[in-house]
Amino acid sequence: MIFTILDILGLIAFAISGTLAGIEKKLDFFGVFVIAMVTSIGGGTLRDLLIGNTPVFWLLNLQTFYIVTATTILSVVFRHRLSFLRTSLFLFDTIGIGIFTIIGIEQGLMIELSPIVCILLGTVTACFGGVARDILCNEIPVIFRKEIYATACLTGGFMFFALDFLKVNNDIIYVATAGTIILIRIFAVRNKWSFPQIEIK
Amino acid sequence: MIFTILDILGLIAFAISGTLAGIEKKLDFFGVFVIAMVTSIGGGTLRDLLIGNTPVFWLLNLQTFYIVTATTILSVVFRHRLSFLRTSLFLFDTIGIGIFTIIGIEQGLMIELSPIVCILLGTVTACFGGVARDILCNEIPVIFRKEIYATACLTGGFMFFALDFLKVNNDIIYVATAGTIILIRIFAVRNKWSFPQIEIK
Amino acid sequence: MIFTILDILGLIAFAISGTLAGIEKKLDFFGVFVIAMVTSIGGGTLRDLLIGNTPVFWLLNLQTFYIVTATTILSVVFRHRLSFLRTSLFLFDTIGIGIFTIIGIEQGLMIELSPIVCILLGTVTACFGGVARDILCNEIPVIFRKEIYATACLTGGFMFFALDFLKVNNDIIYVATAGTIILIRIFAVRNKWSFPQIEIK
């Protein structure tokens, strides 16, 4: 149940971030819709392919299509409010990775993968939508900008299994994991945290 | 039977479009061959992966390999005639998406996906080869240029199910669907139809 | 047994080449790690997806993760020695494609694909990691540079089946195939061999 709600929230967050990216690129409505679609279903699609969960999730029912379509239309209509917050794209993208990391980990656990592999799968699920969006928009993929991005997902993943090991209640694990990822990324960007680049000399 | 012929025609159309794109990028023969291959099998490969139809189609027999190889060689040999028609790349790409949309829809129906999902699958099948070609060639993906591209496929898809609902003969459905897609795109480009970009302010 | 050793050597070679590419792009440690990971598992992942061998190899045990992580850390620590050899990236990439072509062919044989298709699968396995690395780093994909790249893999693949037809011992086939690929590429780059680009006029 909470899983389904998470899924929907993640799709909405990424659809908004995709819509805003498409508008910024001055695409027409269908271009914006394609970017919103790729951003929200990209990570889950790669996850399903990697674990062999086919037909992939969005082929099996129309829910995903309706959610992304409705979110895109609403985001386009209310784009002025969203762009007022200059950090909207950033915020929704961050909420999206927080949620999708959890979903990826849960899917990995379902087929009994080991914890570290689950964390990798969660990170891939979270990051790939944004990476595909950036490749299509011809931007430097977000994971390579001077931001803590994949690292936030990995850290959240370790939090997940630490709490799981302590037998904490599932709902709390979810909130703590997503919260960790979202807070790390927000603090990292606000305080310009970054890892040093590797000097060649 | 008509299905197999469609498949072959689609492969040929996309192989020609890929060859012309590779020649334009001044690649050597193997580079051109790689682009032709990716363009013609890209969409069908993604479709097979998404629905879990593996090993994907071109691994199971040599037909695809022979068709694309022969088409590439012939297109290279007769490139002057093809480039005489300055719109060759455009035309073959358009024929390709018309045909591949139908094939994608049929594959979706075979595993009993719902009509809207079949239309999405058809559109993905039709568009992904061209998108992969453009990403490899470092061009703006064709779906985002100021052209009616994915939209033509979606419209053709709705035509398919409208005629199917009216219990029209299959061959007529195929011709009408591909015809709709091809005509919409040709008229759109000739008359510079486009959707307005979304204004931020 | 030799197969497992080959697998490990291939992962290490590509992880080093990915690490060097990431350092050259002035990424931070996690960016470098992501590039190393994508480069070393990219080809095998696409191969597993295409033949329907899911969950893909690196999800099933932690070996891949440990090998790539250790290689990346060691390559970063010893980067000065590696960059002293200006051709390091090139060399490790070349060793990687030599090994991965063999692995791809073997995987194809295991599910009884025909020889030509096996050679294509081997070439895809060998080349995709480097192509994904280059797309993420926003470079012209290595297969399209004026180098003999995919062609070396294809030639090695034909060597594989020629020797197999002659019933040569497996270990010799492996050494001869990888050797052919590596030597062709090294000679091609050293002597600036290239295929002529296709003239439009």
Side-chain angles (χ1 to χ4, degrees), chain B residues 23 26-32 34-35 37 45 49 54-56 58-59 62 65-66 76 79-80 135-136, chain C residues 49-52 111 113-114 116-117 120-121 131 135 141 143-144 146 151 154 195-201:
Chain B
I23 292 176
K26 299 175 188 286
L27 300 179
D28 62 36
F29 180 77
F30 278 88
V32 167
V34 170
I35 295 280
M37 203 77 185
T45 302
L49 292 178
T54 52
V56 301
W58 54 273
L59 289 177
L62 283 168
F65 175 75
Y66 290 141
V76 166
R79 64 190 178 280
H80 301 295
I135 289 180
L136 284 176
Chain C
L49 292 178
L50 292 174
I51 63 180
I111 57 167
L113 301 178
S114 64
I116 290 185
V117 169
L120 287 180
L121 190 63
V131 170
I135 290 179
I143 34 170
F144 298 133
K146 296 224 165 304
T151 316
L154 293 169
F195 291 105
Q197 73 180 56
I198 297 168
E199 301 287 331
I200 301 174
K201 229 172 112 159

Short mmCIF file of all heavy atoms in Angstrom, two decimals, chain B residues 23 26-32 34-35 37 45 49 54-56 58-59 62 65-66 76 79-80 135-136, chain C residues 49-52 111 113-114 116-117 120-121 131 135 141 143-144 146 151 154 195-201:
data_model
loop_
_atom_site.label_atom_id
_atom_site.label_comp_id
_atom_site.label_asym_id
_atom_site.label_seq_id
_atom_site.Cartn_x
_atom_site.Cartn_y
_atom_site.Cartn_z
N ILE B 23 26.84 8.63 -43.97
CA ILE B 23 27.62 9.26 -45.05
C ILE B 23 27.73 10.76 -44.80
O ILE B 23 28.79 11.35 -44.95
CB ILE B 23 26.97 8.98 -46.43
CG1 ILE B 23 27.09 7.48 -46.77
CG2 ILE B 23 27.63 9.83 -47.51
CD1 ILE B 23 26.40 7.09 -48.06
N LYS B 26 30.37 11.75 -42.66
CA LYS B 26 31.69 11.43 -43.21
C LYS B 26 32.35 10.26 -42.50
O LYS B 26 33.56 10.28 -42.23
CB LYS B 26 32.61 12.64 -43.18
CG LYS B 26 32.08 13.81 -44.00
CD LYS B 26 32.97 15.03 -43.85
CE LYS B 26 32.32 16.24 -44.51
NZ LYS B 26 32.37 16.20 -45.98
N LEU B 27 31.58 9.25 -42.12
CA LEU B 27 32.16 8.07 -41.50
C LEU B 27 32.75 7.16 -42.56
O LEU B 27 32.48 7.32 -43.76
CB LEU B 27 31.08 7.30 -40.72
CG LEU B 27 30.40 8.09 -39.60
CD1 LEU B 27 29.34 7.24 -38.93
CD2 LEU B 27 31.43 8.54 -38.57
N ASP B 28 33.58 6.18 -42.13
CA ASP B 28 34.07 5.20 -43.08
C ASP B 28 33.00 4.11 -43.24
O ASP B 28 31.94 4.16 -42.61
CB ASP B 28 35.41 4.60 -42.63
CG ASP B 28 35.29 3.85 -41.32
OD1 ASP B 28 34.25 3.20 -41.08
OD2 ASP B 28 36.24 3.90 -40.52
N PHE B 29 33.27 3.09 -44.09
CA PHE B 29 32.21 2.13 -44.38
C PHE B 29 31.69 1.41 -43.14
O PHE B 29 30.49 1.21 -42.99
CB PHE B 29 32.68 1.08 -45.40
CG PHE B 29 31.59 0.09 -45.71
CD1 PHE B 29 30.56 0.44 -46.56
CD2 PHE B 29 31.56 -1.16 -45.09
CE1 PHE B 29 29.52 -0.44 -46.81
CE2 PHE B 29 30.51 -2.04 -45.33
CZ PHE B 29 29.49 -1.68 -46.20
N PHE B 30 32.58 1.05 -42.20
CA PHE B 30 32.10 0.32 -41.04
C PHE B 30 31.29 1.21 -40.11
O PHE B 30 30.32 0.77 -39.50
CB PHE B 30 33.25 -0.38 -40.32
CG PHE B 30 33.58 -1.68 -40.97
CD1 PHE B 30 34.48 -1.74 -42.01
CD2 PHE B 30 32.91 -2.84 -40.59
CE1 PHE B 30 34.74 -2.93 -42.66
CE2 PHE B 30 33.18 -4.04 -41.24
CZ PHE B 30 34.10 -4.09 -42.27
N GLY B 31 31.69 2.47 -40.01
CA GLY B 31 30.90 3.42 -39.23
C GLY B 31 29.50 3.55 -39.81
O GLY B 31 28.51 3.54 -39.09
N VAL B 32 29.44 3.66 -41.14
CA VAL B 32 28.15 3.77 -41.82
C VAL B 32 27.31 2.51 -41.56
O VAL B 32 26.12 2.59 -41.27
CB VAL B 32 28.36 3.97 -43.34
CG1 VAL B 32 27.06 3.76 -44.11
CG2 VAL B 32 28.92 5.37 -43.62
N VAL B 34 27.51 0.48 -38.99
CA VAL B 34 27.04 0.47 -37.59
C VAL B 34 25.81 1.36 -37.42
O VAL B 34 24.82 0.96 -36.80
CB VAL B 34 28.17 0.92 -36.63
CG1 VAL B 34 27.63 1.14 -35.22
CG2 VAL B 34 29.28 -0.11 -36.59
N ILE B 35 25.86 2.56 -38.01
CA ILE B 35 24.71 3.46 -37.91
C ILE B 35 23.49 2.85 -38.59
O ILE B 35 22.38 2.89 -38.06
CB ILE B 35 25.03 4.83 -38.58
CG1 ILE B 35 26.15 5.54 -37.83
CG2 ILE B 35 23.78 5.70 -38.63
CD1 ILE B 35 25.72 6.24 -36.58
N MET B 37 22.81 -0.28 -38.99
CA MET B 37 22.38 -1.39 -38.14
C MET B 37 21.59 -0.87 -36.93
O MET B 37 20.49 -1.34 -36.65
CB MET B 37 23.64 -2.14 -37.66
CG MET B 37 23.40 -3.56 -37.25
SD MET B 37 23.22 -4.64 -38.69
CE MET B 37 22.80 -6.18 -37.88
N THR B 45 14.60 -3.76 -31.16
CA THR B 45 15.34 -4.30 -30.03
C THR B 45 14.77 -3.79 -28.71
O THR B 45 14.49 -4.58 -27.80
CB THR B 45 16.84 -3.91 -30.12
OG1 THR B 45 17.35 -4.38 -31.37
CG2 THR B 45 17.64 -4.50 -28.99
N LEU B 49 12.98 -6.01 -25.78
CA LEU B 49 13.45 -5.96 -24.40
C LEU B 49 12.30 -5.59 -23.47
O LEU B 49 12.12 -6.22 -22.43
CB LEU B 49 14.58 -4.94 -24.25
CG LEU B 49 15.91 -5.27 -24.94
CD1 LEU B 49 16.90 -4.13 -24.71
CD2 LEU B 49 16.49 -6.58 -24.41
N THR B 54 12.91 -12.23 -25.48
CA THR B 54 14.34 -12.45 -25.69
C THR B 54 14.64 -13.92 -25.94
O THR B 54 13.88 -14.77 -25.49
CB THR B 54 15.15 -11.99 -24.47
OG1 THR B 54 14.60 -12.61 -23.30
CG2 THR B 54 15.11 -10.49 -24.32
N PRO B 55 15.76 -14.26 -26.60
CA PRO B 55 16.70 -13.40 -27.33
C PRO B 55 15.97 -12.52 -28.34
O PRO B 55 15.02 -13.00 -29.00
CB PRO B 55 17.62 -14.40 -28.04
CG PRO B 55 17.50 -15.66 -27.30
CD PRO B 55 16.12 -15.68 -26.74
N VAL B 56 16.39 -11.28 -28.47
CA VAL B 56 15.73 -10.34 -29.37
C VAL B 56 15.80 -10.82 -30.82
O VAL B 56 16.64 -11.64 -31.17
CB VAL B 56 16.36 -8.93 -29.25
CG1 VAL B 56 16.24 -8.40 -27.84
CG2 VAL B 56 17.82 -8.94 -29.68
N TRP B 58 16.79 -10.13 -33.83
CA TRP B 58 17.91 -10.24 -34.79
C TRP B 58 18.96 -11.25 -34.35
O TRP B 58 19.90 -11.54 -35.09
CB TRP B 58 18.54 -8.88 -35.07
CG TRP B 58 18.99 -8.12 -33.87
CD1 TRP B 58 18.22 -7.27 -33.12
CD2 TRP B 58 20.28 -8.12 -33.26
NE1 TRP B 58 18.97 -6.75 -32.09
CE2 TRP B 58 20.24 -7.24 -32.16
CE3 TRP B 58 21.48 -8.77 -33.55
CZ2 TRP B 58 21.34 -7.01 -31.33
CZ3 TRP B 58 22.58 -8.53 -32.73
CH2 TRP B 58 22.50 -7.67 -31.63
N LEU B 59 18.82 -11.82 -33.15
CA LEU B 59 19.74 -12.88 -32.74
C LEU B 59 19.28 -14.24 -33.24
O LEU B 59 20.06 -15.18 -33.32
CB LEU B 59 19.86 -12.93 -31.22
CG LEU B 59 20.61 -11.78 -30.54
CD1 LEU B 59 20.57 -11.94 -29.03
CD2 LEU B 59 22.06 -11.72 -31.01
N LEU B 62 19.50 -15.06 -39.36
CA LEU B 62 20.46 -14.17 -40.02
C LEU B 62 19.79 -13.21 -40.99
O LEU B 62 20.44 -12.34 -41.57
CB LEU B 62 21.49 -15.02 -40.77
CG LEU B 62 22.54 -15.61 -39.83
CD1 LEU B 62 23.37 -16.65 -40.54
CD2 LEU B 62 23.44 -14.47 -39.33
N PHE B 65 20.43 -9.52 -40.43
CA PHE B 65 21.81 -9.18 -40.76
C PHE B 65 22.02 -9.05 -42.26
O PHE B 65 22.60 -8.09 -42.75
CB PHE B 65 22.75 -10.25 -40.18
CG PHE B 65 24.19 -10.06 -40.56
CD1 PHE B 65 24.96 -9.08 -39.95
CD2 PHE B 65 24.77 -10.87 -41.51
CE1 PHE B 65 26.28 -8.90 -40.30
CE2 PHE B 65 26.10 -10.70 -41.86
CZ PHE B 65 26.86 -9.71 -41.26
N TYR B 66 21.50 -10.04 -43.01
CA TYR B 66 21.67 -10.01 -44.46
C TYR B 66 20.96 -8.81 -45.08
O TYR B 66 21.49 -8.13 -45.97
CB TYR B 66 21.14 -11.30 -45.11
CG TYR B 66 22.00 -12.51 -44.80
CD1 TYR B 66 21.43 -13.75 -44.54
CD2 TYR B 66 23.39 -12.41 -44.78
CE1 TYR B 66 22.21 -14.87 -44.26
CE2 TYR B 66 24.18 -13.52 -44.49
CZ TYR B 66 23.59 -14.74 -44.25
OH TYR B 66 24.37 -15.83 -43.97
N VAL B 76 25.19 2.57 -50.34
CA VAL B 76 26.48 3.25 -50.51
C VAL B 76 26.82 3.33 -52.00
O VAL B 76 27.23 4.38 -52.51
CB VAL B 76 27.60 2.51 -49.73
CG1 VAL B 76 28.97 2.99 -50.19
CG2 VAL B 76 27.44 2.75 -48.23
N ARG B 79 24.52 5.88 -53.69
CA ARG B 79 24.28 7.06 -52.87
C ARG B 79 24.04 8.32 -53.68
O ARG B 79 23.33 9.23 -53.25
CB ARG B 79 25.44 7.28 -51.89
CG ARG B 79 26.78 7.58 -52.53
CD ARG B 79 27.88 7.53 -51.48
NE ARG B 79 29.19 7.75 -52.05
CZ ARG B 79 29.92 6.82 -52.68
NH1 ARG B 79 29.45 5.60 -52.84
NH2 ARG B 79 31.10 7.11 -53.16
N HIS B 80 24.61 8.40 -54.91
CA HIS B 80 24.43 9.62 -55.69
C HIS B 80 22.98 9.78 -56.12
O HIS B 80 22.44 10.87 -56.10
CB HIS B 80 25.35 9.60 -56.91
CG HIS B 80 26.76 9.50 -56.50
ND1 HIS B 80 27.39 10.48 -55.79
CD2 HIS B 80 27.67 8.49 -56.63
CE1 HIS B 80 28.63 10.13 -55.52
NE2 HIS B 80 28.82 8.92 -56.02
N ILE B 135 21.51 10.24 -31.43
CA ILE B 135 22.40 10.35 -30.26
C ILE B 135 23.82 9.95 -30.66
O ILE B 135 24.79 10.63 -30.35
CB ILE B 135 21.90 9.49 -29.09
CG1 ILE B 135 20.63 10.10 -28.48
CG2 ILE B 135 22.98 9.37 -28.00
CD1 ILE B 135 20.05 9.31 -27.32
N LEU B 136 23.96 8.84 -31.39
CA LEU B 136 25.28 8.40 -31.83
C LEU B 136 25.93 9.43 -32.76
O LEU B 136 27.14 9.63 -32.73
CB LEU B 136 25.20 7.05 -32.54
CG LEU B 136 25.02 5.82 -31.65
CD1 LEU B 136 24.86 4.57 -32.48
CD2 LEU B 136 26.22 5.67 -30.70
N LEU C 49 20.96 -8.62 -21.53
CA LEU C 49 19.61 -8.16 -21.85
C LEU C 49 19.17 -8.71 -23.20
O LEU C 49 18.05 -9.22 -23.35
CB LEU C 49 19.54 -6.63 -21.88
CG LEU C 49 19.73 -5.90 -20.54
CD1 LEU C 49 19.69 -4.39 -20.76
CD2 LEU C 49 18.65 -6.31 -19.55
N LEU C 50 20.05 -8.65 -24.21
CA LEU C 50 19.69 -9.07 -25.56
C LEU C 50 19.36 -10.55 -25.62
O LEU C 50 18.44 -10.97 -26.33
CB LEU C 50 20.82 -8.76 -26.55
CG LEU C 50 21.10 -7.28 -26.82
CD1 LEU C 50 22.33 -7.12 -27.69
CD2 LEU C 50 19.90 -6.60 -27.47
N ILE C 51 20.11 -11.38 -24.87
CA ILE C 51 19.85 -12.82 -24.92
C ILE C 51 18.87 -13.25 -23.84
O ILE C 51 18.49 -14.41 -23.77
CB ILE C 51 21.14 -13.67 -24.85
CG1 ILE C 51 21.86 -13.48 -23.52
CG2 ILE C 51 22.07 -13.33 -25.99
CD1 ILE C 51 23.15 -14.31 -23.42
N GLY C 52 18.42 -12.29 -23.00
CA GLY C 52 17.39 -12.63 -22.01
C GLY C 52 17.96 -13.35 -20.80
O GLY C 52 17.26 -14.09 -20.11
N ILE C 111 23.73 -20.52 -26.04
CA ILE C 111 22.29 -20.62 -26.35
C ILE C 111 22.10 -20.94 -27.83
O ILE C 111 21.06 -20.69 -28.41
CB ILE C 111 21.51 -19.34 -25.96
CG1 ILE C 111 22.08 -18.09 -26.66
CG2 ILE C 111 21.53 -19.13 -24.45
CD1 ILE C 111 21.15 -16.89 -26.55
N LEU C 113 23.24 -19.86 -30.80
CA LEU C 113 23.04 -18.91 -31.89
C LEU C 113 24.00 -19.28 -33.01
O LEU C 113 25.01 -19.95 -32.80
CB LEU C 113 23.32 -17.49 -31.41
CG LEU C 113 22.45 -17.00 -30.24
CD1 LEU C 113 22.86 -15.59 -29.84
CD2 LEU C 113 20.98 -17.04 -30.60
N SER C 114 23.69 -18.82 -34.23
CA SER C 114 24.55 -19.15 -35.36
C SER C 114 25.84 -18.33 -35.29
O SER C 114 25.86 -17.25 -34.70
CB SER C 114 23.81 -18.88 -36.67
OG SER C 114 23.55 -17.51 -36.78
N ILE C 116 27.60 -16.27 -37.20
CA ILE C 116 27.64 -14.85 -37.54
C ILE C 116 26.97 -14.01 -36.45
O ILE C 116 27.45 -12.95 -36.06
CB ILE C 116 26.97 -14.58 -38.92
CG1 ILE C 116 27.87 -15.15 -40.02
CG2 ILE C 116 26.76 -13.10 -39.14
CD1 ILE C 116 27.40 -14.85 -41.41
N VAL C 117 25.85 -14.52 -35.93
CA VAL C 117 25.15 -13.81 -34.86
C VAL C 117 26.02 -13.77 -33.60
O VAL C 117 26.08 -12.75 -32.90
CB VAL C 117 23.78 -14.45 -34.57
CG1 VAL C 117 23.19 -13.89 -33.30
CG2 VAL C 117 22.84 -14.22 -35.74
N LEU C 120 28.46 -11.03 -34.02
CA LEU C 120 27.82 -9.73 -33.77
C LEU C 120 27.64 -9.52 -32.27
O LEU C 120 27.91 -8.43 -31.75
CB LEU C 120 26.45 -9.68 -34.46
CG LEU C 120 26.43 -9.54 -35.97
CD1 LEU C 120 24.98 -9.50 -36.47
CD2 LEU C 120 27.15 -8.27 -36.42
N LEU C 121 27.20 -10.56 -31.56
CA LEU C 121 26.98 -10.44 -30.11
C LEU C 121 28.29 -10.16 -29.40
O LEU C 121 28.36 -9.33 -28.48
CB LEU C 121 26.35 -11.73 -29.58
CG LEU C 121 25.82 -11.69 -28.14
CD1 LEU C 121 24.69 -10.68 -28.01
CD2 LEU C 121 25.35 -13.06 -27.70
N VAL C 131 31.36 2.61 -25.80
CA VAL C 131 30.42 3.56 -26.39
C VAL C 131 29.64 4.29 -25.30
O VAL C 131 29.49 5.52 -25.33
CB VAL C 131 29.45 2.84 -27.35
CG1 VAL C 131 28.32 3.76 -27.78
CG2 VAL C 131 30.21 2.34 -28.58
N ILE C 135 29.56 8.25 -24.60
CA ILE C 135 28.33 9.05 -24.61
C ILE C 135 28.20 9.82 -23.30
O ILE C 135 27.90 11.01 -23.28
CB ILE C 135 27.08 8.17 -24.85
CG1 ILE C 135 27.07 7.65 -26.30
CG2 ILE C 135 25.80 8.95 -24.57
CD1 ILE C 135 25.88 6.76 -26.61
N PRO C 141 31.73 8.68 -29.93
CA PRO C 141 31.92 7.27 -29.61
C PRO C 141 33.11 6.67 -30.35
O PRO C 141 33.29 6.91 -31.55
CB PRO C 141 30.61 6.63 -30.05
CG PRO C 141 29.61 7.72 -29.90
CD PRO C 141 30.35 8.98 -30.28
N ILE C 143 33.79 3.91 -31.61
CA ILE C 143 33.62 3.15 -32.84
C ILE C 143 33.59 4.02 -34.09
O ILE C 143 33.72 3.52 -35.20
CB ILE C 143 32.32 2.30 -32.87
CG1 ILE C 143 31.18 3.00 -32.13
CG2 ILE C 143 32.56 0.93 -32.34
CD1 ILE C 143 29.85 2.30 -32.38
N PHE C 144 33.36 5.35 -33.92
CA PHE C 144 33.26 6.20 -35.09
C PHE C 144 34.51 7.02 -35.35
O PHE C 144 34.60 7.73 -36.33
CB PHE C 144 32.07 7.15 -34.97
CG PHE C 144 30.79 6.42 -34.88
CD1 PHE C 144 29.85 6.74 -33.92
CD2 PHE C 144 30.52 5.38 -35.74
CE1 PHE C 144 28.68 6.03 -33.83
CE2 PHE C 144 29.34 4.67 -35.66
CZ PHE C 144 28.42 5.00 -34.70
N LYS C 146 38.41 7.64 -36.36
CA LYS C 146 39.15 7.07 -37.48
C LYS C 146 40.09 5.99 -36.97
O LYS C 146 41.32 6.11 -37.02
CB LYS C 146 39.95 8.15 -38.22
CG LYS C 146 39.09 9.20 -38.87
CD LYS C 146 39.56 9.54 -40.27
CE LYS C 146 38.46 10.31 -41.00
NZ LYS C 146 37.18 9.57 -41.01
N THR C 151 35.76 -3.25 -36.25
CA THR C 151 36.32 -4.11 -37.30
C THR C 151 37.32 -5.11 -36.73
O THR C 151 37.37 -6.27 -37.17
CB THR C 151 37.02 -3.24 -38.37
OG1 THR C 151 36.17 -2.13 -38.65
CG2 THR C 151 37.25 -4.03 -39.63
N LEU C 154 35.25 -7.84 -35.14
CA LEU C 154 34.64 -8.70 -36.16
C LEU C 154 35.69 -9.66 -36.73
O LEU C 154 35.43 -10.86 -36.88
CB LEU C 154 34.02 -7.85 -37.28
CG LEU C 154 32.82 -6.99 -36.89
CD1 LEU C 154 32.47 -6.02 -38.00
CD2 LEU C 154 31.59 -7.88 -36.59
N PHE C 195 39.80 3.03 -42.84
CA PHE C 195 39.05 2.85 -44.07
C PHE C 195 38.78 4.23 -44.63
O PHE C 195 38.64 5.20 -43.89
CB PHE C 195 37.73 2.16 -43.78
CG PHE C 195 37.90 0.76 -43.36
CD1 PHE C 195 37.75 0.40 -42.03
CD2 PHE C 195 38.23 -0.22 -44.28
CE1 PHE C 195 37.92 -0.91 -41.64
CE2 PHE C 195 38.40 -1.53 -43.90
CZ PHE C 195 38.24 -1.88 -42.57
N PRO C 196 38.73 4.35 -45.94
CA PRO C 196 38.43 5.67 -46.51
C PRO C 196 37.00 6.05 -46.15
O PRO C 196 36.13 5.20 -46.07
CB PRO C 196 38.58 5.44 -48.02
CG PRO C 196 38.38 3.97 -48.22
CD PRO C 196 38.81 3.30 -46.96
N GLN C 197 36.78 7.33 -45.89
CA GLN C 197 35.39 7.76 -45.67
C GLN C 197 34.69 7.74 -47.01
O GLN C 197 35.32 7.78 -48.07
CB GLN C 197 35.34 9.15 -45.05
CG GLN C 197 35.68 10.27 -46.00
CD GLN C 197 35.61 11.61 -45.32
OE1 GLN C 197 36.25 11.85 -44.31
NE2 GLN C 197 34.82 12.50 -45.87
N ILE C 198 33.38 7.62 -46.97
CA ILE C 198 32.64 7.50 -48.21
C ILE C 198 32.38 8.89 -48.78
O ILE C 198 31.75 9.72 -48.14
CB ILE C 198 31.33 6.74 -47.97
CG1 ILE C 198 31.66 5.31 -47.51
CG2 ILE C 198 30.47 6.72 -49.22
CD1 ILE C 198 30.49 4.55 -46.98
N GLU C 199 32.89 9.13 -49.96
CA GLU C 199 32.73 10.43 -50.60
C GLU C 199 31.31 10.58 -51.11
O GLU C 199 30.74 9.65 -51.68
CB GLU C 199 33.68 10.55 -51.80
CG GLU C 199 35.14 10.39 -51.46
CD GLU C 199 35.68 11.62 -50.74
OE1 GLU C 199 35.16 12.73 -50.96
OE2 GLU C 199 36.63 11.45 -49.95
N ILE C 200 30.74 11.73 -50.95
CA ILE C 200 29.39 11.94 -51.46
C ILE C 200 29.45 12.24 -52.95
O ILE C 200 28.56 11.93 -53.71
CB ILE C 200 28.68 13.09 -50.72
CG1 ILE C 200 28.62 12.75 -49.23
CG2 ILE C 200 27.27 13.29 -51.26
CD1 ILE C 200 28.09 13.85 -48.37
N LYS C 201 30.56 12.85 -53.37
CA LYS C 201 30.64 13.23 -54.77
C LYS C 201 31.88 12.72 -55.45
O LYS C 201 32.94 12.73 -54.86
CB LYS C 201 30.62 14.74 -54.88
CG LYS C 201 29.59 15.14 -55.92
CD LYS C 201 29.40 16.60 -55.93
CE LYS C 201 29.93 17.19 -57.23
NZ LYS C 201 29.30 18.49 -57.46
#
